[in-house]
Amino acid sequence: MARAGEEALIARYFAPLSGPGADGLRDDAASLTPSPGHDLVVTADAVVAGVHYFPDDPPGSIAVKALGVNLSDLAAKGATPRGFLLTLALPDDWTEDWLAAFAEGLGAMSRTHGCPLLGGDTVRSGGPALIGVTAFGEVPTGTMVRRQTARAGDRLCVSGTIGDAALGLALRLAPDAGLDVAHRDVLQDRYLHPRPRLALAPVLRGHARAAMDVSDGLVGDLTKMLAGTGLTARIEAARVPLSAAARVLIAKNPSRLATALTGGDDYEILCAVPPDSLPAFLAEAERVGVPAAEIGLVEPGEAPPLVVDDAGEAMTFGAGSFSHF
Amino acid sequence: MARAGEEALIARYFAPLSGPGADGLRDDAASLTPSPGHDLVVTADAVVAGVHYFPDDPPGSIAVKALGVNLSDLAAKGATPRGFLLTLALPDDWTEDWLAAFAEGLGAMSRTHGCPLLGGDTVRSGGPALIGVTAFGEVPTGTMVRRQTARAGDRLCVSGTIGDAALGLALRLAPDAGLDVAHRDVLQDRYLHPRPRLALAPVLRGHARAAMDVSDGLVGDLTKMLAGTGLTARIEAARVPLSAAARVLIAKNPSRLATALTGGDDYEILCAVPPDSLPAFLAEAERVGVPAAEIGLVEPGEAPPLVVDDAGEAMTFGAGSFSHF
């Protein structure tokens, strides 16, 4: 298929994804106003081919990841999505087939989460593809859930299961012939397709003192949550929720537990909940369909968070946090 | 100098640029609320090394361009800056010296225009550097100046002078030994350093029916302003304001007039003003220190805009618009 110019591409593939205030992407800017009594929440994350995803991943999956990692940040802040801007930097060998599939995946994710496209930019990358998203959400005024506001005594909780995406990535790099195909597929799907925990947003606003999404590994992200606050934490590895597939893999090779606890791409929520609010938090999380589990405790102290194993011994990790940078 | 990790870089170079709502860049998102009675205006543009700027340009100049092209979009929409997000995709050979100079230029531009850093992302590009900015501005509710809302009879105006940056770029690619050094420096500076016309924003809100910034060349951008609206335009080339330096260059080689009219990177404002408002628009523009000039007329019709020369003949251009894509 011949490759069209920027204006034609926008009209063909991206204008159908656009929302109110975007004027059909025929302008250089969009207008956006929070609902009365609300603040906007803004966040930007980019994914790069060969860094955050495999260049030969399905284009629709790449789009789900690019938008999903940003929606995950909104969820952790307690926000409801309002829209997004897309910066699409394409390599010289892009094809219109790739772009059509990318736009289809992007549109599906956008509709699922009620987050229309408001504008953006399309440029030549001169290297690998880069997909940058700025996502906008809103919260009732003053209720954005912050990252560094935990207090001593708060209980640490996570949503869903931890480590699936990191194990899925490990399997992709080094297949495990003995693993059940269904388990392998579950883990690899978790790596490909973030599931932003937007259903949990109001529950976090109601009960969490601090929250962030787990994108760079549970241990490293917990360290970031507490860095410089005069607080530390103690986590019991046995309480960290694992999927059936992850449990099978770890049973075969216990060193994979460290991968699960420090690998990236979970896109689950890590939060600190005051003890009095814990029962209500866990019950409401269950009710909105996002199981959450208590995994540890916030304590006074300057040391890095401690993760203890079944025997009560401190676990050590080679790299505390995965860095894409 | 040793290269620091992402968290350390943010704390050292970018946190000092951060504004209210950004929590010192210690969170994954920022909160942002328009002033009472205002809408937010959001826009995103990226610049790429080797595409939008020369990789060996001064890092501070690259920062001025990356933020400036976005502030220029806000100006054209009639908006006052409120803040920005930065996506910084760095090549493998980045240095901390480069980053320090980049942050210094970014901070100066940010302070000059009252547009603090609210957050962002730092990633490995796997290729050339890419700097993506999402800029936020605000306008009194419902007053954002749109791109495609001109009407027949409106007068077309531009701010400042047109073509300087394109001629500056041409000089950089093919030096003209006969040109006065001061003139050369003026033109090359215009290519390096966009001057977003934010002072004109309230004047546009008050008097312009439609506006956009001139980033991809006057002729091409005017075509975009009218595409699909059932309108065309007639511009008199002799009325397009040129700098003294541009006039000298064009006098030496008249074909350079086409470069000035179709080249990119002007970051001036093109707007459509109802005839009744024209005197007030021009007077207020003068008063805020941004000279503006009437260059033509919006007319009914589907044809591309017409540019006529001194003799009243239609000019033709090889490429109507510069495309970075």
Side-chain angles (χ1 to χ4, degrees):
Chain A
M1 218 186 303
R3 303 201 313 191
E6 183 177 3
E7 302 290 313
L9 289 177
I10 291 169
R12 190 176 307 160
Y13 295 112
F14 295 114
L17 279 53
S18 68
D23 197 26
L25 309 184
R26 288 183 300 266
D27 207 329
D28 296 310
S31 70
L32 178 65
T33 306
S35 306
H38 287 68
D39 295 329
L40 279 185
V41 173
V42 300
T43 186
D45 267 323
V47 296
V48 177
V51 180
H52 302 85
Y53 65 86
F54 292 86
D56 61 350
D57 281 345
S61 297
I62 297 166
V64 165
K65 182 170 281 193
L67 183 52
V69 304
N70 283 278
L71 293 175
S72 178
D73 277 325
L74 291 184
K77 304 293 102 184
T80 303
R82 284 291 310 273
F84 72 104
L85 299 176
L86 175 70
T87 295
L88 189 58
L90 292 174
D92 290 339
D93 63 351
W94 69 275
T95 66
E96 199 156 331
D97 283 347
W98 187 96
L99 200 68
F102 175 86
E104 190 177 328
L106 191 67
M109 189 73 170
S110 161
R111 286 186 297 274
T112 297
H113 297 291
C115 191
L117 180 62
L118 299 179
D121 193 17
T122 309
V123 296
R124 221 158 41 80
S125 73
L130 176 148
I131 301 129
V133 167
T134 296
F136 307 104
E138 65 180 23
V139 291
T141 302
T143 64
M144 179 173 131
V145 183
R146 285 284 182 191
R147 186 164 89 178
Q148 290 213 303
T149 41
R151 294 189 202 161
D154 285 352
R155 308 306 153 122
L156 289 166
C157 299
V158 292
S159 64
T161 55
I162 295 295
D164 295 327
L167 294 171
L169 172 60
L171 285 178
R172 186 152 162 185
L173 297 171
D176 182 326
L179 185 70
D180 184 86
V181 171
H183 282 161
R184 184 201 65 197
D185 288 352
V186 163
L187 298 174
Q188 294 197 341
D189 184 69
R190 286 295 303 275
Y191 172 74
L192 271 183
H193 300 123
R195 302 179 306 196
R197 295 301 202 175
L198 289 159
L200 205 58
V203 186
L204 294 169
R205 286 204 311 275
H207 300 292
R209 192 121 64 188
M212 69 188 296
D213 74 330
V214 184
S215 56
D216 293 339
L218 176 63
V219 173
D221 284 340
L222 175 59
T223 304
K224 287 181 203 168
M225 179 183 259
L226 301 173
T229 63
L231 297 170
T232 184
R234 180 187 175 92
I235 286 183
E236 294 172 56
R239 301 183 78 176
V240 174
L242 300 173
S243 68
R247 282 197 301 271
V248 167
L249 266 187
I250 291 168
K252 292 173 67 175
N253 179 351
S255 76
R256 285 167 172 157
L257 178 59
T259 301
L261 297 177
T262 61
D265 292 312
D266 290 293
Y267 302 106
E268 295 291 354
I269 305 293
L270 168 66
C271 60
V273 179
D276 288 355
S277 301
L278 188 66
F281 171 75
L282 294 174
E284 288 182 35
E286 190 71 37
R287 192 170 53 76
V288 299
V290 183
E294 181 188 357
I295 61 169
L297 179 66
V298 179
E299 299 173 328
E302 299 287 346
L306 191 67
V307 183
V308 297
D309 63 17
D310 290 2
E313 301 288 324
M315 296 178 69
T316 55
F317 305 102
S321 172
F322 183 74
S323 173
H324 287 300
F325 177 62
Chain B
M1 215 186 307
R3 303 202 313 192
E6 183 177 5
E7 303 290 313
L9 289 178
I10 291 168
R12 189 175 308 161
Y13 296 111
F14 296 112
L17 278 54
S18 69
D23 196 25
L25 308 185
R26 287 182 301 265
D27 208 328
D28 296 309
S31 70
L32 178 65
T33 306
S35 306
H38 286 69
D39 295 328
L40 279 185
V41 174
V42 300
T43 187
D45 267 323
V47 296
V48 177
V51 180
H52 303 85
Y53 65 86
F54 292 87
D56 61 350
D57 281 345
S61 296
I62 297 166
V64 166
K65 182 169 281 193
L67 183 52
V69 303
N70 282 278
L71 294 174
S72 177
D73 277 325
L74 292 184
K77 304 293 100 183
T80 303
R82 284 292 309 273
F84 72 104
L85 299 176
L86 175 69
T87 295
L88 189 58
L90 292 174
D92 290 338
D93 63 351
W94 70 274
T95 67
E96 198 155 334
D97 283 348
W98 188 95
L99 200 68
F102 176 85
E104 190 177 329
L106 192 67
M109 190 73 169
S110 160
R111 286 186 297 275
T112 297
H113 297 291
C115 191
L117 180 61
L118 299 180
D121 193 18
T122 310
V123 296
R124 219 155 45 77
S125 73
L130 175 148
I131 300 130
V133 167
T134 297
F136 308 104
E138 65 180 23
V139 292
T141 303
T143 65
M144 178 174 132
V145 184
R146 287 285 181 188
R147 186 164 88 178
Q148 291 213 302
T149 41
R151 295 190 201 159
D154 285 351
R155 307 306 153 120
L156 289 166
C157 297
V158 293
S159 65
T161 55
I162 294 294
D164 295 325
L167 293 171
L169 172 60
L171 285 177
R172 186 153 162 184
L173 296 172
D176 181 327
L179 185 69
D180 183 85
V181 170
H183 281 161
R184 183 200 65 196
D185 289 351
V186 163
L187 298 174
Q188 295 197 341
D189 184 68
R190 286 295 305 273
Y191 172 73
L192 271 183
H193 299 124
R195 302 179 306 195
R197 295 302 201 174
L198 289 159
L200 205 58
V203 186
L204 293 169
R205 285 203 310 273
H207 300 292
R209 190 123 63 188
M212 68 186 299
D213 74 330
V214 183
S215 56
D216 294 338
L218 177 63
V219 174
D221 285 339
L222 175 60
T223 304
K224 287 181 202 167
M225 179 183 260
L226 301 174
T229 64
L231 297 170
T232 184
R234 179 186 175 92
I235 286 183
E236 293 172 55
R239 302 183 78 175
V240 174
L242 300 173
S243 68
R247 283 196 301 270
V248 168
L249 267 187
I250 291 167
K252 292 174 68 175
N253 177 351
S255 77
R256 286 168 171 156
L257 178 59
T259 301
L261 297 178
T262 61
D265 292 312
D266 289 293
Y267 302 106
E268 296 290 355
I269 305 292
L270 167 66
C271 60
V273 179
D276 287 355
S277 301
L278 188 67
F281 170 75
L282 294 173
E284 290 181 32
E286 190 71 37
R287 193 170 52 77
V288 300
V290 182
E294 181 187 358
I295 61 169
L297 179 67
V298 178
E299 300 174 327
E302 299 288 345
L306 191 68
V307 183
V308 297
D309 64 16
D310 290 1
E313 301 288 326
M315 296 178 69
T316 54
F317 305 101
S321 171
F322 183 73
S323 172
H324 287 298
F325 178 63

